[in-house]
Amino acid sequence: MAFPNERYDLLNAYELHDVFVGAWCDGLSVAETAARLRADPDSATACSWAEIGDGLESLGAGTGVVWIGEQAPGWTQIIQYEGPHIGMNEPQLKLSEGGALLYLGWPLLETEGAEDLEYVVDGRARTSVSLVDPGERSGPEPDALDRYMDGLTLDLETPVDEVLDAAFRLVGRVTGRELDADWLRGSHTRYVIPGAAWDQEKWW
């Protein structure tokens, strides 16, 4: 799969082209983002993406690992290394309280495709944009992101790689910065979310 411009090369360089689970939070510090995810504060470790697995012993069931850093003025970015937490409804609502959250992910792109792009504001889901059928919107405000979509190719005729590129561009328009090599090569903070932190039976 080849992304237009340099997107594929960027994701491929960090082994994120087939599996990516990311979120962007408005108005939260790195520490507050971790706290809302119920991460262990003592697990905070500054590292690069290449180092994110260093020192992690065998993880128990339900344990999550996230990488969190400032992304743009007022915005914090999360990439999940282990676990599904930031793609789940309850954590998303907590992360958006008093601000906003965007979620973009494909835990298994080749077999299951990309998940819906989620937009949550102050603890309430506003809209979901299907990246399988980008004309399909759901939620109480299905057009909430339309003002950011001008010129983006999002329709059934668009190859999936271009749809995902457009989704990243949409996120960049909201936060003021697209996912880029400088952020991915930087040092951010790794946190571990204990397996018992969330009642995962409620997520499904």
Side-chain angles (χ1 to χ4, degrees):
M1 181 175 296
F3 284 73
N5 303 317
E6 300 176 358
R7 184 73 65 198
Y8 177 82
D9 290 340
L10 176 60
L11 294 175
N12 185 60
Y14 292 88
E15 299 184 353
L16 292 167
H17 53 297
D18 290 328
V19 177
F20 178 86
V21 180
W24 294 259
C25 303
D26 175 34
L28 298 182
S29 67
V30 169
E32 177 62 18
T33 300
R36 293 195 186 190
L37 281 170
R38 303 177 186 171
D40 176 3
D42 293 334
S43 70
T45 304
C47 67
S48 68
W49 183 255
E51 300 166 331
I52 195 167
D54 293 355
L56 289 177
E57 303 300 329
S58 180
L59 299 174
T63 302
V65 178
V66 289
W67 195 48
I68 307 174
E70 295 180 1
Q71 189 251 359
W75 287 87
T76 297
Q77 182 170 323
I78 314 165
I79 295 180
Q80 187 125 18
Y81 177 71
E82 290 285 349
H85 298 81
I86 61 176
M88 299 293 104
N89 182 64
E90 189 177 355
Q92 287 182 0
L93 297 182
K94 292 297 293 183
L95 287 166
S96 73
E97 288 179 358
L101 171 140
L102 285 159
Y103 167 77
L104 178 62
W106 51 87
L108 294 169
L109 183 62
E110 292 296 331
T111 57
E112 298 182 8
E115 297 180 330
D116 292 354
L117 190 154
E118 305 283 351
Y119 183 48
V120 188
V121 178
D122 197 15
R124 188 168 70 96
R126 292 289 182 88
T127 188
S128 296
V129 179
S130 170
L131 298 182
V132 177
D133 181 1
E136 180 182 326
R137 317 284 169 78
S138 60
E141 299 177 34
D143 301 328
L145 292 173
D146 281 9
R147 65 186 183 276
Y148 300 105
M149 293 185 178
D150 186 46
L152 298 182
T153 306
L154 289 164
D155 57 48
L156 282 173
E157 303 303 316
T158 306
V160 64
D161 54 330
E162 295 183 26
V163 168
L164 297 178
D165 185 78
F168 273 114
R169 292 173 61 196
L170 188 158
V171 170
R173 290 177 179 183
V174 176
T175 69
R177 179 183 180 182
E178 290 191 34
L179 182 68
D180 58 38
D182 284 344
W183 196 91
L184 284 173
R185 72 165 65 98
S187 177
H188 306 297
T189 308
R190 182 188 74 190
Y191 288 91
V192 175
I193 304 171
W198 297 88
D199 183 356
Q200 297 183 42
E201 291 183 0
K202 296 180 180 179
W203 294 359
W204 306 98

